[in-house]
Amino acid sequence: PLIPRVDYWGVDFVNADTGWAVGEGGAIIKTINGGDNWNWIESGVENTLRTVASVNYGQRVIAAGDGGVILISEDAGETWSTLPSGTTDNIWNMQMITDEIGWMVGEGATALKTTDSGLNWIQQQTPYASLAYWDVCFVDTSFGYICCNTAIVLKTINGGISWQIQQAGDTRSLFTLYAFDTLWVSAAGFAGKVVYTTNGGSNWLNAGGNVSAAEINKI
């Protein structure tokens, strides 16, 4: 009963025991026993938080969400402070590729990159400035994808210096994607759309029909 009755959007576990979840109204909860119990933590914001990630063995935790809010904790998620993001657009997903390098994406073509373990987030030059960027997945620090509205997929092979533009099937938006390696990628989104590529996005194929769902938000 101490846990806020809200929707949770993002979750991250640093090991089998310790993890965090974030959600509506700035909600942050933490477990240290594999989810058997959760403790509520004061975030200091009321923005919906949609994504969370950790670095340095879970000592530093980063969360982000609506209104471009970015929060950081230096004590494994016990206390939080805000960081400048340079945007007021909603941030939807984040990936820390290494302890130093990571990406966040969101609406209004938000594509933020950190090279200093999440202390500073810098907007990157990307195509389609009017599109919402829904999810990001990098295989390593150089090779990654962003999925967007109207099923546009952006691919980089040089850490975001330049981007290739792909059309993944029909124009139904893709809200999530997962890159297994540089060739195999799965993506999904509006009206149960599921597509995949086996050649790095040169061709995208329908994954055996649609899933019966209004939308698919995460792989």
Side-chain angles (χ1 to χ4, degrees), residues 71-83:
L71 302 179
I72 190 168
S73 172
E74 300 286 11
D75 56 7
E78 297 299 324
T79 59
W80 295 82
S81 57
T82 59
L83 292 176

Side-chain angles (χ1 to χ4, degrees), residues 46-197:
E46 296 184 357
N47 309 56
T48 293
L49 300 173
R50 300 192 183 274
T51 184
V52 60
S54 59
V55 296
N56 300 333
Y57 302 101
Q59 190 61 29
R60 176 176 292 168
V61 190
I62 305 151
D66 286 4
V69 66
I70 300 178
L71 302 179
I72 190 168
S73 172
E74 300 286 11
D75 56 7
E78 297 299 324
T79 59
W80 295 82
S81 57
T82 59
L83 292 176
S85 68
T87 182
T88 58
D89 289 306
N90 299 338
I91 297 169
W92 278 86
N93 276 296
M94 165 174 39
Q95 181 191 14
M96 291 303 299
I97 308 163
T98 68
D99 274 350
E100 292 78 30
I101 298 175
W103 286 78
M104 292 182 185
V105 296
E107 298 172 40
T110 298
L112 307 178
K113 182 180 181 180
T114 182
T115 58
D116 59 5
S117 300
L119 293 177
N120 294 280
W121 293 88
I122 308 300
Q123 174 68 34
Q124 304 299 297
Q125 293 294 319
T126 54
Y128 294 105
S130 63
L131 286 184
Y133 294 173
W134 295 116
D135 201 3
V136 58
C137 188
F138 274 73
V139 177
D140 53 37
T141 56
S142 298
F143 199 106
Y145 297 85
I146 295 172
C147 65
C148 317
N149 275 0
T150 68
I152 296 294
V153 174
L154 307 179
K155 173 184 174 181
T156 182
I157 60 173
N158 53 19
I161 296 173
S162 61
W163 296 87
Q164 304 170 25
I165 301 168
Q166 302 173 352
Q167 179 67 45
D170 61 35
T171 58
R172 286 177 293 168
S173 295
L174 294 171
F175 300 139
T176 181
L177 83 170
Y178 185 82
F180 299 94
D181 54 35
T182 59
L183 297 178
W184 289 76
V185 186
S186 181
F190 183 71
K193 177 180 178 178
V194 183
V195 293
Y196 70 97
T197 179

